[in-house]
């Protein structure tokens, strides 16, 4: 796995993850499970690799 997520992309992903996790406190009842979608940008931002970027040949990482 080569890194394909750049610094700016990583920061945006981590902010998006925090925003999605905050839905847990904002949404009522059974809709709170939508906050779990925050794990996707969190993990891809932390490991600097996105499987969809690999599929589409996108690389935002500087070399």
């Amino acid at each position: 796995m080569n890194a394909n997520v750049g610094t700016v992309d990583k920061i945006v992903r981590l902010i998006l993850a925090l925003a999605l996790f905050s839905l847990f406190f904002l949404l009522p009842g059974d809709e709170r499970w939508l906050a779990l979608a925050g794990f996707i940008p969190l993990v891809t931002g932390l490991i600097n690799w996105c499987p969809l970027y690999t599929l589409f040949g996108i690389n935002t990482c500087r070399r």
Side-chain angles (χ1 to χ4, degrees):
M1 288 187 327
N2 294 332
N4 62 4
V5 174
T7 305
V8 174
D9 196 4
K10 179 179 184 169
I11 292 169
V12 170
R13 287 171 186 266
L14 295 177
I15 291 171
L16 178 63
L18 289 174
L20 287 171
F21 285 140
S22 70
L23 290 177
F24 182 79
F25 300 105
L26 299 175
L27 294 176
D30 292 336
E31 296 171 2
R32 289 182 175 177
W33 65 270
L34 291 172
L36 295 177
F39 280 109
I40 296 169
L42 177 69
V43 171
T44 57
L46 291 177
I47 65 173
N48 293 333
W49 183 74
C50 178
L52 286 178
Y53 277 14
T54 303
L55 267 174
F56 294 116
I58 300 170
N59 188 350
T60 61
C61 203
R62 285 191 182 183
R63 295 285 170 177

